[in-house]
Amino acid sequence: MSPHTARAIAVNGVPGGTSTSGSPYLLGGELLLSAGVLLTDPDTYVARLVEAGAAALGFGVRPVHEAVPPALVAACDRYGLPLVEVPPGTPFTAIARAVWGLMAAARHRELRRVTRAQQALASAAARPDPIPAVLHQLAVRLSGRAALVTAEGEELHAAGSPPAPDVRAALARLARVLAPSARPAPASATDTVGGAQLSAYALGGGQGLALTLATGHREAGDHTVAGIAVVLLSLLAAPHQGADAAARSAALVRLLLGADPADVAPLLAGDGPWTVVHARRSGGGAADPLTAGALGAALGSALVDADRGDEAVRVLVPGAGRIAPQPGWTLGASAPAPADALAAAGTRAARALGRAEATRTPLVVDAPVSGLAALLPPGPAADRARELLAPLTEPLAETLRCWLSLHGSWDRTAVALSVHRNTVRQRIARCGVLLGTDLDDMDVRTELWLALRQE
């Protein structure tokens, strides 16, 4: 059985024939395994399974039934439910392990496919002809037709085999559905024509452009791949953007390709300062590009980097305005910084995000040095800080900084750094040894905190 057919295994030894509901233990998409105990009404039983969304029925013969009951075979044929005979001596657990193994392998293959597609699209966006290159890669990766169209359905760029006239007309209709108007327009639309799977995605930028796709089939990761293309095309396809906007679009593409923020800083110079925001979904998990783009829009920026192995989204927000909490997100923000200090601001935003997660706070802003600490002479204070912290490696210094900022809480520091609490204890103990001091002494903690704040 294909791993895409059943998404779970359910074992039911007593299906019964008198329940008036569907199967209360099914969520839909399961391969149900049953020995047919108390099977009295196959027709009603199969009807309930279909109603509950079961993907297939595996029927084990012996010891209850010597063979699959003919009435059950007929009922499965009548309702279109796949029926698999489980021979004697084959444990249901063996089938469950086999199906779960196939499903895990399928998920791994899909993740690998999406990752390769993402890398190919990002590389295509850096070519001299980025829009045709992105569309070509998208058409290749999805084995179909990809086109950039106007609100009226006119193709501006396209890649892949030309579609049939009825498919082309349907794609134009989908593009018109997404066209900006007085009514709220959806961000995407789908259709099916003659076996072709059709999709359309609205691009940002207020140009009324859309990405249309026509493929022979639709895989689970196709929406993610298309979302990555939408983010890139939204930046690349705006024909009337000024020089500043073009430079910032180029900066985002370079960030997607893994460039260091310090290398991108010259492209962002002009009307700084900038606030760096690091964000994670409150419920955990990686954010797809469309969701990350929506976060950027809510914060007032199109400069969003969602291509992060640690599942964090980075946003560069122009200006020094106040960053507001966003529903469904945990945010860490830097203080406003000039373009040539973005690397340090990014580090502070990451620390603020860790503190926000550790304290379960929707937003933490890394405030600049102020109060008595701001009165220290910058040169001598920085020299003394470097001398004091010289014995510590960067991981130890970062652990000490986080631990002190969280008032010596082992558990919160572990959450903020994504390590085990015992690792925190070992690192802090190592800091005490290397510094040759008592970290329980408040005077020592204060001096170390001031030194760490000088970085």
Side-chain angles (χ1 to χ4, degrees):
M1 174 172 293
S2 168
H4 299 290
T5 301
R7 65 175 179 83
I9 292 290
V11 178
N12 180 13
V14 188
T18 60
S19 173
T20 58
S21 65
S23 293
Y25 305 107
L26 299 182
L27 297 175
E30 293 91 347
L31 166 62
L32 180 71
L33 301 177
S34 173
V37 179
L38 300 180
L39 177 63
T40 59
D41 187 349
D43 191 83
T44 301
Y45 176 60
V46 173
R48 291 206 317 272
L49 292 183
V50 172
E51 180 184 0
L57 172 63
F59 193 87
V61 296
R62 298 182 188 171
V64 180
H65 296 269
E66 292 297 318
V68 180
L72 181 62
V73 176
C76 288
D77 286 340
R78 188 160 47 254
Y79 288 97
L81 180 68
L83 176 63
V84 179
E85 179 178 340
V86 181
T90 301
F92 283 178
T93 54
I95 298 175
R97 284 196 298 268
V99 173
W100 279 114
L102 290 172
M103 293 170 63
R107 284 193 295 268
H108 180 70
R109 287 194 300 270
E110 189 67 4
L111 178 60
R112 189 165 51 188
R113 183 180 74 91
V114 170
T115 300
R116 290 173 177 170
Q118 179 175 352
Q119 294 170 345
L121 289 170
S123 298
R127 291 174 55 88
D129 54 342
I131 293 177
V134 169
L135 291 173
H136 171 74
Q137 281 296 329
L138 189 60
V140 170
R141 298 291 166 173
L142 301 186
S143 302
R145 171 84 166 183
L148 180 67
V149 303
T150 66
E152 294 74 32
E154 177 187 0
E155 290 188 352
L156 301 178
H157 300 277
S161 302
D166 57 340
V167 172
R168 184 187 294 272
L171 289 171
R173 288 194 298 271
L174 288 181
R176 288 193 290 272
V177 168
L178 305 182
S181 62
R183 60 174 175 78
S188 62
T190 60
D191 197 2
T192 303
V193 174
Q197 305 293 323
L198 312 182
S199 305
Y201 300 84
L203 302 189
Q207 303 294 327
L209 302 179
L211 168 67
T212 61
L213 300 171
T215 59
H217 57 278
R218 186 175 292 147
E219 299 291 344
D222 288 356
H223 180 71
T224 301
V225 175
I228 297 167
V230 167
V231 172
L232 294 173
L233 291 172
S234 295
L235 295 164
L236 298 170
H240 303 301
Q241 62 182 352
D244 289 343
R248 292 171 191 171
S249 296
L252 174 57
V253 172
R254 295 188 188 183
L255 284 174
L256 285 170
L257 289 170
D260 189 90
D263 298 333
V264 178
L267 292 175
L268 300 174
D271 59 349
W274 299 83
T275 299
V276 182
V277 177
H278 283 221
R280 283 198 184 91
R281 301 294 299 272
S282 298
D288 62 78
L290 292 177
T291 304
L295 171 66
L299 294 173
S301 176
L303 300 179
V304 181
D305 177 18
D307 185 17
R308 302 283 290 160
D310 61 359
E311 299 178 351
V313 175
R314 298 183 295 183
V315 185
L316 293 181
V317 181
R322 178 177 176 272
I323 301 298
Q326 300 298 319
W329 292 89
T330 301
L331 306 180
S334 72
D340 58 0
L342 285 178
T347 299
R348 293 185 181 277
R351 292 172 184 166
L353 175 60
R355 181 176 175 84
E357 292 180 311
T359 57
R360 299 181 180 179
T361 304
L363 168 66
V364 169
V365 178
D366 183 80
V369 176
S370 59
L372 292 175
L375 300 178
L376 296 175
D383 292 341
R384 171 56 182 162
R386 282 192 293 270
E387 178 185 352
L388 180 62
L389 301 173
L392 303 183
T393 63
E394 178 56 31
L396 289 178
E398 185 62 29
T399 301
L400 180 60
R401 179 187 292 105
C402 185
W403 182 70
L404 290 173
S405 73
L406 294 170
H407 311 292
S409 170
W410 307 110
D411 292 331
R412 289 184 173 183
T413 304
V415 171
L417 298 177
S418 300
V419 298
H420 195 275
R421 67 195 307 271
N422 289 342
T423 301
V424 176
R425 288 183 177 275
Q426 293 168 1
R427 290 181 182 178
I428 295 302
R430 183 62 177 164
C431 288
V433 171
L434 293 175
L435 296 173
T437 190
D438 181 9
L439 295 180
D440 290 329
D441 189 312
M442 182 54 67
D443 289 337
V444 171
R445 290 193 183 192
T446 302
E447 184 180 16
L448 289 173
W449 176 245
L450 289 174
L452 290 164
R453 291 291 288 170
Q454 297 301 315
E455 294 188 342

